[in-house]
């Protein structure tokens, strides 16, 4: 029942095609009862010696025509019904992907990639099967069985029918006992499939690290264990399935024996004719399929419900960040201000930002420096609104960020994350990610600003070069400059550079910084870095330590202060001159 309730939207939408399929299936069931009746009649005529050749010809012709008609009808209902299967799979996959694109990092921490893949493949497939094959088996059972039973009752013998159907209640017992178990075992099988998926993804993306530490066999062993677990769990499901069907056949077999034994007795007693006994046995044969169908239906429904539950659970998880009910519209972001913001990651036990305050005018540059793990990236991420934060702590244009429309904030910001994310497409597509309709000139300009032009000239196919999965083809510094070109292309109001130049040499870095400063005059930029020369030009610099601001000011002020910044600056200058 929960299956139907969960997918009500689909059945409501597609009820017309389901109605057509069910009507046709009913008609097919009804028409299929005619041949046995005709065969019985013919045998009775034969028995009495009154069968004429023209009557026989007529019967044969009718049977042939009926088969052709049935063929066409069956073709139509199968395509209609299984078309619905394919359709619901497509719709659910689309909805799932759309849902995933709205989720924040916390969601992906809770749900691993492998689990999500299992949802998108196996679970949605199981739902599709229930919506097609499941409906077919149900209708087959209900309509097929009742039509056959009606024929037995009206044309043969109620006594014989009741006797032959006595074993049926057993079926209900068997099915209700095994059904629940199938469901739990199926869920377990799906879960280990998800884990296996995770492992495969990690192994493939980490293959180079695994190889360099000579851990291939270790990894393969771990994978073997997982695949055997998946196999075991699936076996446990199929054992139950295997128990189902023979049991059903057994029960049907018993009722067959009763049909033949008791039926023959009734023929001897002259209560029914020989022809009726033969028709009855054909009808009984026609009951086997609806019985098996019922078993199948229970199976498919159990699986489909388990899968629908899992998909529903994923859909039910809302993003932790929602738009305000009445978001404020701002045309351009001016001042960015943080007041005493303390932030703790949902899974962490201590704060990563501790009472941080700053004020950044439009067009100014903020430098954020500090030891590794001091909270620099965390501070930038606050502007991206990936995690819930305290209200009224972060303001853009004097409006609390939580009151501004999410998409609006995201459109203002170009973000170059510390860990690169490249798609396995061409360099051009990777750069034009945020502006797919950018002209070649615009792209060339962005590439020039990122000092990436020469590198591209040396690529085998220039801009059209495919970078491979997550950019395996590129060096660390090339990946960084590609990511910068991508961000500069959209010419955003706010630019966030998270340690984005760590892998390029100092000279290239200062050239890129100079170009960014010229190009982005009047626009706001936030830069985190370990190399202080990248922020010495900034209007304001924060030195973070364990999430707290330890020092702040302009470059000159910080040098006068004589703290961590000055010490670090001098050390880096000395190192640079030694390298020269
Ligand atoms: P680096 O210079 O190495 O990039 P950082 O200054 O950018 O360091 P952050 O990434 O901001 O440092 O991390 C600050 C603190 O927050 C660290 O202690 C880190 O362990 C923690 N942290 C970062 N991301 C998460 C997360 N997703 N969940 C929990 N804790 C996190
Ligand atoms: Mg960082």
């Amino acid at each position: 029942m929960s299956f139907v309730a969960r997918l009500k939207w689909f059945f409501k939408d597609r009820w017309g095609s389901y109605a057509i399929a069910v009507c046709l299936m009913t008609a097919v069931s009804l028409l299929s009862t005619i041949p046995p009746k005709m065969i019985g009649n013919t045998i009775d005529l034969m028995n009495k010696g009154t069968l004429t050749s023209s009557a026989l010809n007529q019967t044969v012709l009718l049977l042939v025509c009926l088969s052709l008609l049935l063929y066409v009808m069956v073709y139509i209902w199968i395509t209609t019904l299984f078309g619905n299967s394919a359709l619901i799979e497509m719709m659910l996959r689309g909805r799932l992907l759309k849902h995933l694109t709205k989720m924040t990092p916390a969601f992906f921490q809770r749900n691993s990639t492998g689990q999500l893949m299992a949802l998108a493949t196996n679970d949605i497939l199981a739902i599709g099967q229930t919506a097609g094959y499941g409906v077919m088996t149900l209708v087959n059972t209900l309509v097929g069985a009742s039509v056959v039973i009606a024929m037995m009752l009206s044309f043969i013998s109620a006594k014989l029918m009741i006797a032959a159907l006595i074993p049926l209640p057993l079926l209900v017992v068997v099915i209700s006992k095994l059904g629940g178990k199938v469901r739990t075992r199926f869920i377990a099988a799906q879960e280990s499939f998800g884990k296996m998926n995770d492992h495969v993804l990690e192994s493939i993306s980490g293959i180079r690290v695994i190889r360099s530490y000579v851990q291939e066999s270790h990894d393969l062993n771990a994978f073997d264990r997982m695949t055997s677990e998946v196999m075991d769990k699936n076996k446990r499901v199929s054992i139950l399935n295997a128990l189902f069907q023979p049991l059903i056949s057994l029960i049907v077999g018993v009722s067959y024996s009763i049909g033949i034994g008791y039926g023959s007795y009734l023929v001897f007693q002259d209560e029914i004719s020989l022809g009726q006994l033969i028709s009855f046995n054909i009808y009984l044969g026609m009951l086997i399929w609806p019985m098996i169908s019922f078993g199948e239906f229970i199976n498919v429904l159990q699986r489909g419900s388990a899968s629908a539950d899992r998909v529903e659970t994923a859909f039910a998880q809302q993003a932790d960040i929602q738009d305000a009910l009445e978001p404020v519209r701002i045309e351009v972001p001016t001042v960015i201000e943080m007041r005493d913001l303390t932030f703790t990651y949902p899974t962490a036990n201590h704060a990563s930002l501790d009472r941080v305050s700053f004020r950044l005018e439009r067009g100014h540059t903020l430098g954020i420096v500090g030891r590794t793990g001091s909270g620099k990236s965390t501070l930038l991420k606050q502007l991206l609104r990936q995690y819930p934060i305290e209200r009224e702590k972060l303001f853009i244009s004097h409006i609390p960020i939580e009151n501004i429309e999410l998409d609006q904030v995201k459109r203002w910001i170009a973000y170059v994350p510390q860990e690169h994310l490249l798609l396995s497409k061409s360099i051009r597509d990777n750069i034009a990610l945020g502006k797919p309709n950018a002209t070649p000139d615009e792209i060339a300009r962005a590439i020039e600003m990122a000092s990436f032009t020469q590198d591209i000239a040396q690529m085998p196919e220039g801009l059209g070069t495919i970078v491979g999965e997550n950019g395996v083809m590129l060096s660390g510094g090339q990946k960084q400059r590609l990511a910068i070109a991508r961000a500069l292309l959209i010419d955003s109001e706010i630019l966030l550079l998270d340690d984005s130049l760590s892998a390029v040499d100092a000279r290239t870095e200062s050239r890129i910084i100079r170009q960014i400063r010229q190009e982005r005059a009047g626009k706001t930029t936030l830069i985190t870095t370990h190399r202080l020369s990248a922020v010495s030009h900034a209007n304001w610099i924060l030195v973070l330590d364990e999430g707290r601001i330890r020092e702040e000011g302009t470059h000159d002020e910080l040098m006068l202060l004589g703290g961590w910044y000055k010490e670090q600056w001098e050390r880096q200058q000395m190192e640079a001159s030694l390298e020269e």
Side-chain angles (χ1 to χ4, degrees):
M1 210 49 224
S2 78
F3 182 82
V4 179
R6 294 226 188 281
L7 299 170
K8 208 163 68 191
W9 56 273
F10 183 76
F11 293 116
K12 236 182 187 167
D13 189 45
R14 301 291 300 168
W15 73 269
S17 70
Y18 276 111
I20 292 175
V22 170
C23 285
L24 281 174
M25 287 170 81
T26 312
V28 168
S29 292
L30 283 171
L31 290 176
S32 307
T33 58
I34 297 175
K37 183 84 185 51
M38 280 166 76
I39 293 169
N41 285 347
T42 311
I43 286 175
D44 278 345
L45 288 179
M46 232 191 276
N47 220 8
K48 287 184 216 146
T50 51
L51 182 67
T52 61
S53 70
S54 73
L56 183 64
N57 284 344
Q58 223 182 358
T59 309
V60 171
L61 190 71
L62 232 106
L63 283 176
V64 171
C65 292
L66 203 62
S67 312
L68 287 177
L69 180 67
L70 285 176
Y71 178 89
V72 174
M73 291 168 78
V74 169
Y75 173 81
I76 298 177
W77 75 248
I78 287 188
T79 44
T80 319
L81 198 61
F82 288 93
N84 278 342
S85 255
L87 186 72
I88 194 172
E89 284 178 34
M90 186 192 81
M91 290 169 100
L92 282 176
R93 291 208 174 97
R95 273 181 55 173
L96 185 65
L97 188 66
K98 195 169 159 207
H99 186 68
L100 294 185
T101 54
K102 284 194 222 133
M103 292 297 118
T104 48
F107 175 88
F108 295 99
Q109 239 164 359
R110 283 195 303 269
N111 304 275
S112 71
T113 316
Q115 281 170 347
L116 295 173
M117 296 245 300
L119 272 191
T121 52
N122 277 359
D123 282 315
I124 290 185
L125 190 72
I127 294 176
Q129 275 181 345
T130 314
Y133 186 67
V135 172
M136 178 189 93
T137 48
L138 177 67
V139 175
N140 249 322
T141 307
L142 295 182
V143 177
S146 45
V147 167
V148 171
I149 289 173
M151 292 301 283
M152 287 175 166
L153 277 180
S154 42
F155 293 111
I156 300 160
S157 152
K159 264 202 288 190
L160 181 55
M161 190 207 77
I162 291 171
L165 296 191
I166 283 175
L168 270 195
L170 256 181
L171 210 62
V172 180
V173 177
V174 168
I175 285 166
S176 60
K177 279 250 181 298
L178 291 181
K181 278 196 186 150
V182 169
R183 188 176 163 125
T184 37
R185 287 190 184 183
F186 181 67
I187 291 179
Q190 289 295 73
E191 266 163 14
S192 46
F193 182 75
K195 270 193 226 151
M196 185 189 74
N197 264 347
D198 272 337
H199 186 93
V200 172
L201 284 173
E202 270 170 20
S203 299
I204 294 177
S205 55
I207 188 80
R208 287 189 289 182
V209 181
I210 292 174
R211 274 209 198 121
S212 62
Y213 283 88
V214 206
Q215 290 299 308
E216 294 99 321
S217 60
H218 180 77
D219 190 61
L220 275 177
N221 288 340
F223 184 66
D224 269 352
R225 276 198 302 280
M226 272 179 193
T227 42
S228 344
E229 193 184 315
V230 172
M231 187 181 73
D232 287 343
K233 298 227 163 119
N234 276 319
K235 251 193 197 158
R236 286 167 59 83
V237 175
S238 40
I239 287 172
L240 281 191
N241 279 344
L243 278 177
F244 251 131
Q245 280 165 22
L247 258 179
I248 289 167
S249 305
L250 185 75
I251 293 168
V252 172
V254 171
S255 88
Y256 239 130
S257 322
I258 299 177
I260 283 278
Y262 187 52
S264 311
Y265 171 78
L266 289 180
V267 174
F268 279 121
Q269 299 288 313
D270 266 344
E271 287 198 29
I272 58 172
S273 70
L274 181 61
Q276 278 177 312
L277 177 63
I278 288 173
S279 303
F280 183 83
N281 274 295
I282 299 177
Y283 284 139
L284 208 50
M286 286 169 68
L287 266 184
I288 294 182
W289 173 223
M291 298 295 160
I292 292 177
S293 247
F294 194 49
E296 287 275 292
F297 169 69
I298 296 290
N299 269 334
V300 171
L301 182 69
Q302 297 285 359
R303 272 192 231 181
S305 315
S307 291
D309 288 349
R310 285 159 56 92
V311 171
E312 192 58 35
T313 316
F315 279 141
Q317 299 181 43
Q318 294 294 326
D320 338 324
I321 312 287
Q322 302 277 344
D323 259 328
L325 286 180
E326 286 172 28
V328 183
R329 279 207 65 84
I330 313 174
E331 284 315 313
V332 279
T334 53
V335 191
I336 298 174
E337 193 177 1
M338 201 176 262
R339 287 186 206 149
D340 259 345
L341 183 123
T342 296
F343 173 78
T344 311
Y345 282 102
T347 50
N349 49 16
H350 66 279
S352 292
L353 289 179
D354 189 0
R355 284 162 288 163
V356 173
S357 305
F358 68 85
R359 185 183 158 94
L360 183 63
E361 301 292 336
R362 181 176 186 210
H364 282 193
T365 296
L366 180 72
I368 304 158
V369 297
R371 279 208 297 266
T372 173
S374 55
K376 303 182 291 295
S377 302
T378 308
L379 200 160
L380 287 192
K381 282 183 195 159
Q382 300 308 314
L383 280 167
L384 298 169
R385 299 207 58 201
Q386 294 181 336
Y387 297 95
I389 51 170
E390 280 177 87
R391 303 187 65 79
E392 316 226 327
K393 294 286 181 190
L394 178 58
F395 302 81
I396 296 182
S397 300
H398 312 290
I399 307 290
I401 196 166
E402 58 273 9
N403 293 347
I404 309 174
E405 201 192 332
L406 262 174
D407 280 349
Q408 175 79 73
V409 176
K410 286 186 190 146
R411 267 194 296 274
W412 285 331
I413 295 178
Y415 171 49
V416 183
Q418 192 165 11
E419 61 291 343
H420 331 279
L421 251 181
L422 302 186
L423 309 176
S424 53
K425 295 182 171 182
S426 67
I427 296 189
R428 181 189 301 103
D429 290 347
N430 267 297
I431 293 179
L433 188 71
K435 194 177 180 185
N437 54 0
T439 63
D441 275 353
E442 288 173 316
I443 293 183
R445 241 181 100 70
I447 291 172
E448 183 56 43
M449 275 193 282
S451 286
F452 195 34
T453 316
Q454 277 188 358
D455 300 75
I456 292 181
Q458 283 162 10
M459 305 264 168
E461 285 164 60
L463 270 179
T465 311
I466 306 289
V467 299
E469 197 158 349
N470 210 9
V472 284
M473 270 207 44
L474 303 177
S475 76
Q478 285 171 334
K479 283 186 221 174
Q480 287 193 332
R481 280 169 294 149
L482 193 158
I484 290 177
R486 175 194 284 167
L488 293 177
L489 180 70
I490 58 176
D491 194 24
S492 59
E493 279 295 332
I494 301 168
L495 175 66
L496 309 182
L497 296 179
D498 192 357
D499 208 7
S500 313
L501 290 164
S502 55
V504 301
D505 59 86
R507 193 167 300 187
T508 314
E509 177 187 75
S510 66
R511 189 164 68 235
I512 297 175
I513 294 281
R514 205 168 47 241
Q515 275 155 344
I516 290 179
R517 280 177 69 186
Q518 274 170 12
E519 192 62 27
R520 291 186 52 79
K523 301 218 165 108
T524 312
T525 306
L526 288 85
I527 304 177
T528 81
T529 181
H530 285 280
R531 210 185 271 150
L532 303 186
S533 54
V535 291
S536 58
H537 69 283
N539 303 80
W540 198 250
I541 301 169
L542 304 178
V543 179
L544 291 183
D545 184 24
E546 293 182 353
R548 239 164 290 161
I549 298 182
R550 273 291 138 82
E551 300 166 21
E552 61 182 314
T554 61
H555 171 74
D556 294 337
E557 288 166 1
L558 288 171
M559 289 303 284
L560 278 178
L561 194 71
W564 183 89
Y565 185 91
K566 177 169 186 275
E567 186 192 321
Q568 203 68 11
W569 173 267
E570 282 168 354
R571 180 176 308 156
Q572 289 183 3
Q573 289 307 58
M574 197 158 73
E575 278 166 7
S577 60
L578 283 179
E579 273 169 31
E580 297 272 313

